[in-house]
């Protein structure tokens, strides 16, 4: 029905993990989000585009964002990837309580991946989105989209299908 807002792919990493970009996830413990989630699908498509085999990452976990932040705080995860709108309370918690940092998702290979996929757009998490965030963080986004079935009735009692037929 309509596009709502950008949801950037967000890489959060423990500061001590030394992760400066996607290639640094090799050999690390990473959560990509639950199976069949948009976060996981977006991350796996990115790994494929960058020719990073899944086996290069020490361990992939399929955690919901809240559980992934808990494990990041406890030192059980090195990083997590999540598609989310900003500001986000779980990202804010990770930055404030877990010695985590937002890691850029940028570079020529990322730009080529975004250019090759019409469902992605370049994005930035603006400086100051979170307390203490002193720099903008480049990444890319999907767009949250409102969808419905054609037979759903809207205000005024007409379905989307009926509205389309009437416009013809």
């Amino acid at each position: 029905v309509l596009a709502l807002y950008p949801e950037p792919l967000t890489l959060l990493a423990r500061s001590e993990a030394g992760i400066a970009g996607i290639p640094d996830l090799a050999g690390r413990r990473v959560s990509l989000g639950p199976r069949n989630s948009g976060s996981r699908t977006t991350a796996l498509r990115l790994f494929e585009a960058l020719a990073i085999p899944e086996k290069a990452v020490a361990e992939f976990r399929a955690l919901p964002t809240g559980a992934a932040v808990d494990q990041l705080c406890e030192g059980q995860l090195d990083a997590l990837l999540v598609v989310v709108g900003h500001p986000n309370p779980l990202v804010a918690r990770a930055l404030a309580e877990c010695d985590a940092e937002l890691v850029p998702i940028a570079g020529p290979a990322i730009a080529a991946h975004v250019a090759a996929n019409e469902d992605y757009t370049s994005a930035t998490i603006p400086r100051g989105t979170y307390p203490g965030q002193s720099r903008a963080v480049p990444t890319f986004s999907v767009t949250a989209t409102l969808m419905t079935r054609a037979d759903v009735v809207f205000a005024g009692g007409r379905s989307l299908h009926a509205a389309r037929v009437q416009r013809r």
Side-chain angles (χ1 to χ4, degrees), residues 2-140:
L2 70 122
L4 298 172
Y5 51 86
E7 291 188 308
L9 180 62
T10 304
L11 175 53
L12 277 167
R14 289 183 310 108
S15 296
E16 66 190 39
I19 296 170
I22 295 292
D24 296 329
L25 296 177
R28 307 304 177 124
R29 301 164 298 168
V30 182
S31 178
L32 301 181
R35 299 195 193 300
N36 301 317
S37 69
S39 294
R40 187 175 196 84
T41 301
T42 302
L44 290 175
R45 286 179 69 189
L46 178 59
F47 286 135
E48 182 180 333
L50 299 178
I52 300 171
E54 285 188 52
K55 64 183 178 188
V57 175
E59 183 180 345
F60 279 128
R61 296 186 187 168
L63 300 171
T65 306
V69 169
D70 290 344
Q71 288 193 12
L72 189 75
C73 290
E74 295 163 1
Q76 297 172 15
L77 268 183
D78 298 308
L80 65 99
L81 282 155
V82 62
V83 171
V84 66
H86 293 281
N88 177 277
L90 290 171
V91 172
R93 178 178 160 238
L95 296 172
E97 299 175 13
C98 307
D99 194 30
E101 58 188 16
L102 290 166
V103 178
I105 302 174
I110 302 294
H113 178 59
V114 170
N117 290 279
E118 64 184 27
D119 45 339
Y120 298 144
T121 58
S122 295
T124 302
I125 301 167
R127 177 178 59 85
T129 300
Y130 298 98
Q133 181 195 348
S134 60
R135 62 182 167 86
V137 180
T139 185
F140 66 94

Side-chain angles (χ1 to χ4, degrees), residues 128-154:
T129 300
Y130 298 98
Q133 181 195 348
S134 60
R135 62 182 167 86
V137 180
T139 185
F140 66 94
S141 291
V142 298
T143 301
T145 305
L146 177 63
M147 299 176 73
T148 187
R149 296 184 329 262
D151 63 339
V152 171
V153 176
F154 290 93

